[in-house]
Amino acid sequence: MPRYVALLRSVNVAGHGRLAMADLRNSFDALGFSEVTTFIQTGNVLFTTKSTKLPALAQAIETQLAHDFGQAPAVIMRTVDALLRIGAASPYARKGDPSRHHVTFLVEAPSKDRLAAFVVPKSGRDELRIDGSEVYVHTPDGYADTKLTGAYLERHLGVLSTTRNWNTVTKLCALAGDTV
């Protein structure tokens, strides 16, 4: 059966979107998913199901979370195979401190028009590479001072997103059964 990772947007970040991981696992169990595993408190869920339709899975999860908690964060889905590809494809994976490297997961690839109009703002020594529906960001001076935030990318690329640091991405890859 296919295995997936659901990345929930804005869960337990800066005191917003409070959601206990045990309760989150229960919601995924209620959907009939198996092998449900969460990683850290920011809404990263690995699970297995027969379904192969990512948008339908995201919608079902959002509906279940709204039912269970009264509101639902946006859910961005990836297959485990895609997650492992993301982990292997990063241009910054071996470039210094892994806490200075982030991946912004987009709900879908930006349109050609948005990509053509996108201008990377000057942001210190920061670097950025867009690869389909992922944006790899390297912030050697720290994420707190970068202009290349998930909110900036979302606004200028016109697609919903969520960002994870490289340590989280590699741990999710390891939990998915492989290492980067």
Side-chain angles (χ1 to χ4, degrees):
M1 272 201 294
R3 190 140 172 85
Y4 301 95
V5 61
L7 303 164
L8 281 62
R9 184 173 185 260
S10 300
V11 169
N12 296 339
V13 176
H16 300 286
R18 310 277 299 148
L19 185 59
M21 294 302 101
D23 295 339
L24 181 60
R25 282 189 299 277
N26 290 339
S27 293
F28 276 67
D29 288 339
L31 286 163
F33 301 153
S34 61
E35 302 176 59
V36 177
T37 305
T38 57
F39 175 65
I40 66 174
Q41 297 297 311
T42 56
N44 307 291
V45 186
L46 288 156
F47 66 96
T48 302
T49 184
K50 290 185 276 187
S51 178
T52 59
K53 298 182 188 316
L54 292 180
L57 282 170
Q59 182 60 54
I61 294 165
E62 289 172 2
T63 299
Q64 184 70 40
L65 295 177
H67 174 267
D68 293 348
F69 306 107
Q71 59 182 5
V75 175
I76 297 176
M77 298 291 304
R78 294 294 186 269
T79 64
V80 161
D81 288 344
L83 176 68
L84 296 174
R85 179 195 57 77
I86 292 160
S90 174
Y92 311 120
R94 301 194 191 339
K95 196 169 188 173
D97 182 351
S99 70
R100 306 294 188 185
H101 174 200
H102 294 77
V103 180
T104 297
F105 295 87
L106 307 174
V107 73
E108 63 188 8
S111 71
K112 289 180 183 178
D113 290 342
R114 287 286 191 147
L115 282 173
F118 182 69
V119 176
V120 179
K122 297 281 185 210
S123 182
R125 300 183 301 147
D126 299 342
E127 301 173 81
L128 172 144
R129 179 159 317 148
I130 300 171
D131 181 11
S133 56
E134 280 74 46
V135 182
Y136 299 97
V137 179
H138 181 241
T139 59
D141 300 320
Y143 195 76
D145 295 323
T146 189
K147 293 179 183 175
L148 307 178
T149 65
Y152 179 87
L153 295 170
E154 194 172 275
R155 193 169 46 254
H156 292 276
L157 294 174
V159 292
L160 196 64
S161 71
T162 191
T163 300
R164 298 297 187 273
N165 71 37
W166 191 243
N167 290 325
T168 298
V169 172
T170 57
K171 181 62 175 175
L172 285 170
C173 288
L175 287 171
D178 202 342
T179 58
V180 178

